[in-house]
Amino acid sequence: MSEYAMAQKSALKLKGVGAVSSGKKKKKKDKESKHRLEQVVTSQNDEEVKTKKAYIDKRTPAQIAFDKMQEKRQMERILNKASKTHKHRVEDFNRHLDTLTEHYDIPKVSWTK
């Protein structure tokens, strides 16, 4: 029994349970609901103010032209990809693989040599 003399005989103590958590107070639902209603009303007022203000574009002409060209190129890429069928894509890929040198092929390995 001397082996168990050092064992703790009290209940298991868990974090957040007991005296520490008893100090926390629960919020009342009435205050939360009133606060939510106020937020909804203020957000609606903010939306009305935002719609009244006109959007001012702060980009430079070069930035605007850059964005337009990017959109144009992106549309061209999308149309180019949409115009090809799967069969055409596979044929193009095979042609590309044929043009590559055999340097990229996996060499044959033989145990006899």
Side-chain angles (χ1 to χ4, degrees), residues 59 64-78:
R59 297 180 296 171
I64 294 169
F66 176 77
D67 290 339
K68 284 182 183 178
M69 285 303 293
Q70 274 197 333
E71 289 176 14
K72 182 180 175 185
R73 288 186 186 125
Q74 186 176 9
M75 289 302 295
E76 287 176 1
R77 279 190 219 112
I78 291 170

Side-chain angles (χ1 to χ4, degrees), residues 42-104:
T42 55
S43 64
Q44 289 175 350
N45 290 338
D46 292 340
E47 290 175 5
E48 292 173 4
V49 171
K50 288 179 184 177
T51 56
K52 290 179 183 176
K53 293 181 181 178
Y55 176 72
I56 300 171
D57 194 8
K58 296 182 180 179
R59 297 180 296 171
T60 63
Q63 288 173 331
I64 294 169
F66 176 77
D67 290 339
K68 284 182 183 178
M69 285 303 293
Q70 274 197 333
E71 289 176 14
K72 182 180 175 185
R73 288 186 186 125
Q74 186 176 9
M75 289 302 295
E76 287 176 1
R77 279 190 219 112
I78 291 170
L79 291 174
N80 188 17
K81 286 186 179 183
S83 66
K84 287 188 179 182
T85 62
H86 178 71
K87 184 176 181 180
H88 284 85
R89 282 193 211 112
V90 171
E91 289 173 356
D92 290 342
F93 184 65
N94 285 336
R95 266 189 249 115
H96 171 69
L97 290 178
D98 288 340
T99 60
L100 293 176
T101 60
E102 294 182 11
H103 169 73
Y104 296 106

